[in-house]
Amino acid sequence: MFKPHVTVACVVHAQGKFLVVEETINGKKLWNQPAGHLEANETLLQAAERELWEETGIRATPHTFLRMHQWIAPDNTPFLRFAFVIELPAILPTEPHDTDIDCCWWLTADEILQSSNLRSPLVAESIRCYQQPERYSLDLVGPFNWPL
């Protein structure tokens, strides 16, 4: 049976800038959206909120659903990545609680799109999707008969 990794990502925007997290992987500093795996007993929305808080220290609820990407990483790992949009009224300070995160940066779309240190091409693709007018209701990926 095919079992892709299910991940969530938050495209966090405030005052013309986007929040990225920096982590060191194999000695290289890489940027990503606040993102991570869906855990047992949580909804996609709960996973997005948890990952945002763990990686940035910011507590916020996504406003809209942006896109689901089906992707195969260079190591042939399959992923389903659910991206959400969080619009903040102002740039907030960050305090990562995840020890894998070195720091956070507020960057322009161009800084992200032109970067050579993105963790995956989905980081840039999520920014490009954000730049399009389509947004979707969170109900599109809402739980059904969720018992928890």
Side-chain angles (χ1 to χ4, degrees):
M1 174 183 265
F2 180 66
K3 294 183 182 181
H5 292 250
V6 177
T7 60
V8 296
C10 297
V11 177
V12 183
H13 178 258
Q15 299 176 314
K17 300 218 172 167
F18 295 90
L19 183 60
V20 298
V21 298
E22 182 177 281
E23 53 194 325
T24 304
I25 299 174
N26 296 324
K28 185 172 182 184
K29 299 217 177 267
L30 300 175
W31 291 344
N32 196 5
Q33 275 98 18
H37 285 84
L38 176 68
E39 300 291 340
N41 301 319
E42 68 183 357
T43 65
L44 292 167
L45 190 58
Q46 289 168 336
E49 291 173 347
R50 176 185 51 76
E51 288 292 347
L52 177 68
W53 183 82
E54 287 177 0
E55 295 192 355
T56 71
I58 294 172
R59 290 198 185 274
T61 298
H63 298 99
T64 55
F65 176 61
L66 183 62
R67 180 84 190 261
M68 190 278 292
H69 290 99
Q70 185 173 358
W71 182 62
I72 298 176
D75 67 359
N76 288 320
T77 302
F79 285 90
L80 296 176
R81 185 181 198 249
F82 293 81
F84 296 91
V85 173
I86 297 175
E87 294 286 350
L88 297 175
I91 290 173
L92 298 177
T94 59
E95 183 181 341
H97 299 279
D98 182 333
T99 57
D100 290 336
I101 304 302
D102 299 331
C103 63
C104 302
W105 300 99
W106 287 96
L107 304 169
T108 65
D110 285 342
E111 288 172 312
I112 296 167
L113 294 172
Q114 295 172 16
S115 175
S116 62
N117 64 328
L118 302 181
R119 178 153 182 194
S120 86
L122 288 177
V123 177
E125 183 61 18
S126 294
I127 297 299
R128 286 189 285 272
C129 288
Y130 176 91
Q131 292 174 324
Q132 301 303 311
E134 293 86 14
R135 299 284 187 283
Y136 304 97
S137 168
L138 294 174
D139 293 337
L140 187 65
V141 292
F144 173 74
N145 283 343
W146 191 251
L148 305 175

